Amino acid sequence: MTQPRLLLCDCLNTQAIDAGLIEQATGLTCSKIHTQLCRGEAAQAAEALQAGNVIIACQQERQAFEDLAADLEADEPLFVDLRDRAGWTADTRSTSPKMAALLAESILPTPGAKVVDVTSEGTCLILGDSEAALTAADHLCELLSVTVILDPADELPLADDRRFDIVRGRVTTATGALGHFKVGFDALQERIPGGRGAFNWTDPKSGGRTECDIMLDLRRGQPLFPAPEKREGYLRADPGNTGAFTKVLLDASQLVGTFEKPLYVRLDEQLCAHSRARKTGCTRCLDLCPTGAISPGGDSVTVDTMVCAGCGSCSAVCPSGAISYDAPPVSHTFQRLQTLAATWRKLSSDAPRLLVHDSSHGAELIRLGARYGKGLPADVIPLEMEAIASFGHTESLAALACGFADVTVLLSPATEKEGMPFQAELSNAIAGEDRVCLITPSDPDELEEILYREQSPVTAKQPILPLGSRRQITRLAAKSLNEPGKVIPLPEGAPYGSVVLDQDACTLCLSCVSLCPSGALKENPDAPQLRFQEDACLQCGICTTICPEKALTLDPRLDLSDDALRARVLKEEEPFNCVECGKPFGVRSTVMRLTEKLAGKHAMFQDNKAIQLIQMCNDCRVNAVYHSENNPFASAERPRVRTTDDYISKRRDH
């Protein structure tokens, strides 16, 4: 496929663009530098659109160019913003390296989104006091199938509107999301039709259940769901706020039909280290999920994709990669980082800085700063992310190891911030300096003040190619950023580390080996040994929970030497040789301890023959018991098999 042609515009001579350097770094064929491509030179834009395979370096007038393409019946072009993110800046340094990096990143193929269809037929449940709920029902009943549930203590107005249903009750449970809500009630009463005077109601009943597609909550109390603003189909407003009340009515009226629900995360249950044998291990994703979409499900967690709002926190903290962000995949983020850094290096020997932001709050601050302020510094490359919380320590370390001097994550009011500080702390512990920071500017001036602070120059080391799993990339980046063989202490809760064994307490029962979800703890089938491979340890804590002697403790750290990739012996003992056949079995210290505790002190081990059973291998023990005087397997002599002659002779006798 031929490279697309790039249409460049300096927006009325307000930015400097070097087409030659951009061509050199990206391989794209550039047009001349236009001045007003969206208006005065629209004819040249139309000519390029008719030729096809075009990138227009203007995101701000996207609608105008899309309309032009539609009028010409031409394919829609690709768009990339160079003006706000690079061209409009008070920095006097060249912006060509940044422009080239942004262009190269923009033409990367984006994996298609994974979606599932959600159907809403418009059944709507309205909660709230009688005045607000009935007002909402009056507005929506012509568009939706409405049921109003009122508190049993509420007084009903005299009006009798039969366009919607009214029930009384108290909501006890609520699950689901748009198109799949399930609600439970207590004290449920239905209105009895007919009769004169005040309404009659059925007797209160507990355990009521219903399903609906939309929930409109107009109560002033606690919401029914965690992170209610992220629950699709659950609309909530204070009825005293006219603007909010009107908005939720409008939003509810639009929730009829078939909608595409993105599948934000991918779960590999085989890799999950949540639990083994009912012993809880890793709960990192459970602790951070704001919507409650993740729940325990046996040895692994389960993800309700209908409830998941795609914040990405689970992907950033999962130690094994069992949960990973998939809209787009994590590998695409690493590819973007590598492309940005590699393209920058073609035009500059200095190390750039990375600014991670979202598509709403962060992007708006950048646009406002570019138009009315100083804009971004020439060495700050912005990276727009769908989910800021998914940009964890691995992504930060990968950016540093790809060649970025530092990483600044711009948090927005909508960002799930709970897990972000630890991710930054973990990144800095591994990188060795405070090169990753979180910022929460409220306006463009504050953002510019942070970014224009004098920075110490950072010499870019040999960059890495971030391929593989998140753990592999973390290790590769850490080795690039640190001295060879270094052992880095990490904060408690880190997903990398070793285990410390109390040699005196351990009995080599190997319970930890049987339940270790990653195989970091291993046995030796030929000798009584407990072995450990540090690189595989997830620090899930199952081994410390299951150990009957409490002989294991976690030691969070990152060993960059090759020793971490090999299994090392934590403890080994001399095997015990069977007193009958001489075959080694078990642990000598354990067998001798059992002999000492049972010999002559237990009713079943009063003589030497019984005591020797403890010191025999499985085969010899079974054989000895079978041939003993009190053989538990012994039985009476088997009766002779009856034949046809026996039956015939029996008939003759009669």
Side-chain angles (χ1 to χ4, degrees), residues 313-345:
S313 297
C314 54
S315 176
V317 300
C318 182
S320 64
I323 291 184
S324 59
Y325 198 76
D326 205 33
V330 174
S331 58
H332 183 64
T333 300
F334 294 129
Q335 186 182 17
R336 294 173 67 192
L337 293 171
Q338 194 274 333
T339 299
L340 288 170
T343 307
W344 169 280
R345 285 195 299 274

Side-chain angles (χ1 to χ4, degrees), residues 424-498:
E425 179 186 3
L426 184 57
S427 301
N428 288 323
I430 295 175
E433 301 175 20
D434 292 336
R435 297 173 63 183
V436 177
C437 69
L438 309 179
I439 60 173
T440 55
S442 57
D443 57 58
D445 292 338
E446 188 178 352
L447 174 62
E448 291 170 1
E449 182 182 353
I450 295 171
L451 296 179
Y452 274 89
R453 290 172 184 164
E454 186 175 350
Q455 301 287 328
S456 300
V458 176
T459 303
K461 298 183 179 180
Q462 182 65 32
I464 68 165
L465 187 62
L467 296 176
S469 68
R470 291 173 61 88
R471 293 183 69 85
Q472 291 170 334
I473 292 173
T474 296
R475 183 174 181 81
L476 183 62
K479 293 180 72 172
S480 172
L481 298 169
N482 290 277
E483 297 299 323
K486 184 177 181 180
V487 178
I488 305 171
L490 299 179
E492 184 178 353
Y496 315 98
S498 180

Side-chain angles (χ1 to χ4, degrees), residues 505-556:
C506 178
T507 61
L508 283 180
C509 69
L510 302 182
S511 297
C512 53
V513 172
S514 62
L515 296 184
C516 181
S518 64
L521 289 164
K522 309 170 184 291
E523 64 176 333
N524 185 344
D526 299 322
Q529 284 184 348
L530 174 61
R531 299 190 295 170
F532 175 71
Q533 183 176 329
E534 183 166 336
D535 180 59
C537 181
L538 307 176
Q539 298 283 287
C540 66
I542 291 179
C543 59
T544 63
T545 303
I546 197 63
C547 179
E549 311 299 339
K550 305 302 178 185
L552 287 167
T553 55
L554 301 180
D555 178 21

Side-chain angles (χ1 to χ4, degrees), residues 21-80:
L21 289 178
I22 290 176
E23 283 190 350
Q24 174 187 333
T26 64
L28 295 172
T29 300
C30 296
S31 70
K32 71 172 188 177
I33 308 299
H34 298 277
T35 296
Q36 196 181 22
L37 193 61
C38 58
R39 297 292 186 273
E41 298 171 288
Q44 297 177 50
E47 182 181 347
L49 288 172
Q50 287 179 318
N53 201 17
V54 173
I55 298 177
I56 298 179
C58 179
Q59 188 71 261
Q60 296 69 37
E61 297 296 330
R62 178 172 186 154
Q63 186 63 53
F65 290 116
E66 287 180 345
D67 291 343
L68 179 59
D71 292 341
L72 298 171
E73 297 183 352
D75 293 336
E76 284 190 3
L78 297 176
F79 297 90
V80 59

Side-chain angles (χ1 to χ4, degrees), residues 240-461:
N241 185 330
T242 303
F245 182 71
T246 303
K247 184 179 184 303
V248 294
L249 294 183
L250 178 61
D251 291 344
S253 68
Q254 305 300 311
L255 294 179
V256 181
T258 300
F259 304 89
E260 289 186 342
K261 173 70 171 70
L263 301 179
Y264 293 108
V265 299
R266 177 174 53 85
L267 172 64
D268 186 342
E269 296 180 354
Q270 299 298 319
L271 298 178
C272 184
H274 169 61
S275 174
R276 293 294 185 274
R278 299 184 180 180
K279 298 294 183 181
T280 302
C282 177
T283 61
R284 292 174 174 90
C285 60
L286 292 167
D287 296 338
L288 289 180
C289 182
T291 62
I294 305 176
S295 57
D299 284 353
S300 71
V301 298
T302 61
V303 179
D304 187 337
T305 55
M306 296 297 103
V307 175
C308 175
C311 72
S313 297
C314 54
S315 176
V317 300
C318 182
S320 64
I323 291 184
S324 59
Y325 198 76
D326 205 33
V330 174
S331 58
H332 183 64
T333 300
F334 294 129
Q335 186 182 17
R336 294 173 67 192
L337 293 171
Q338 194 274 333
T339 299
L340 288 170
T343 307
W344 169 280
R345 285 195 299 274
K346 293 179 181 179
L347 298 179
S348 176
S349 59
D350 298 329
R353 295 181 285 156
L354 183 69
L355 176 65
V356 183
H357 65 90
D358 65 359
S359 59
S360 54
H361 177 75
E364 183 65 14
L365 289 183
I366 292 172
R367 284 192 290 268
L368 291 173
R371 177 170 288 276
Y372 301 107
K374 295 192 294 185
L376 297 179
D379 63 342
V380 172
I381 299 180
L383 176 70
E384 185 176 300
M385 292 288 297
E386 294 292 332
I388 294 294
S390 70
F391 199 91
H393 68 277
T394 301
E395 287 77 9
S396 295
L397 293 170
L400 296 175
C402 281
F404 286 95
D406 57 46
V407 176
T408 302
V409 182
L410 196 167
L411 304 181
S412 78
T415 303
E416 293 300 332
K417 305 178 181 65
E418 186 176 351
M420 297 294 289
F422 182 79
Q423 293 299 305
E425 179 186 3
L426 184 57
S427 301
N428 288 323
I430 295 175
E433 301 175 20
D434 292 336
R435 297 173 63 183
V436 177
C437 69
L438 309 179
I439 60 173
T440 55
S442 57
D443 57 58
D445 292 338
E446 188 178 352
L447 174 62
E448 291 170 1
E449 182 182 353
I450 295 171
L451 296 179
Y452 274 89
R453 290 172 184 164
E454 186 175 350
Q455 301 287 328
S456 300
V458 176
T459 303
K461 298 183 179 180

Side-chain angles (χ1 to χ4, degrees), residues 598-610:
L598 296 177
K601 302 175 183 178
H602 191 281
M604 294 182 62
F605 298 95
Q606 294 296 319
D607 56 58
N608 290 334
K609 289 185 178 180

